[in-house]
Amino acid sequence: VQLQASGGGLVQPGGSLRLSCAASGLIFDDYAIGWFRQAPGKEREGVLCIRKSGGSTYFVDSVKGRFTISRDNAKNAVYLQMNSLKPEDTAVYYCAAGVSCSNWYIRNYDMEYWGKGTKVTVSS
């Protein structure tokens, strides 16, 4: 199983980025996909998760209205659209596949498969 996150980079405050998570080696439709991030010196945190059905759950209040998550099961991919980026969004972003987007799974990082992260830097 492989999950590959991509799309990170350097962006100015107020800018946008679209992260992609490409999955292989698993029955993609059977998994919830979560985006997590880890800022320098901070613990990893769940940001957004999309369920098998396509519904999504936010885990960070500060990204509501700015970040959205979507999935394309035909392409085995999940996307994180990040708009109005702020310096505090700077982090390494990871995608992970698991059985559920429930709070317990996300808060405890209880996901079955993790990808390597992609770095997002928001700075002028």
Side-chain angles (χ1 to χ4, degrees):
V1 175
Q2 280 194 325
L3 294 174
Q4 181 63 55
S6 62
L10 173 64
V11 62
Q12 291 187 341
S16 298
L17 281 175
R18 187 193 194 208
L19 305 185
S20 299
C21 176
S24 60
L26 75 172
I27 301 174
F28 187 73
D29 298 16
D30 286 351
Y31 288 88
I33 306 293
W35 281 100
F36 297 75
R37 67 185 182 185
Q38 187 164 17
K42 295 188 177 181
E43 287 190 4
R44 189 174 299 190
E45 63 178 354
V47 179
L48 264 170
C49 185
I50 188 163
R51 295 183 286 278
K52 293 176 281 187
S53 63
S56 60
T57 303
Y58 287 85
F59 293 91
V60 177
D61 287 342
S62 66
V63 307
K64 290 179 180 178
R66 300 188 297 121
F67 290 13
T68 56
I69 190 171
S70 61
R71 66 189 295 159
D72 185 340
N73 288 343
K75 295 183 178 180
N76 284 9
V78 168
Y79 307 100
L80 182 67
Q81 179 67 43
M82 305 187 296
N83 299 326
S84 302
L85 282 161
K86 303 176 181 181
E88 50 263 43
D89 296 319
T90 294
V92 177
Y93 285 73
Y94 302 85
C95 60
V99 298
S100 173
C101 288
S102 70
N103 195 53
W104 191 93
Y105 284 93
I106 299 298
R107 300 294 188 198
N108 289 282
Y109 317 128
D110 192 5
M111 306 295 277
E112 292 187 40
Y113 305 107
W114 290 84
K116 294 181 180 179
T118 185
K119 187 174 182 180
V120 173
T121 303
V122 185
S123 175
S124 55

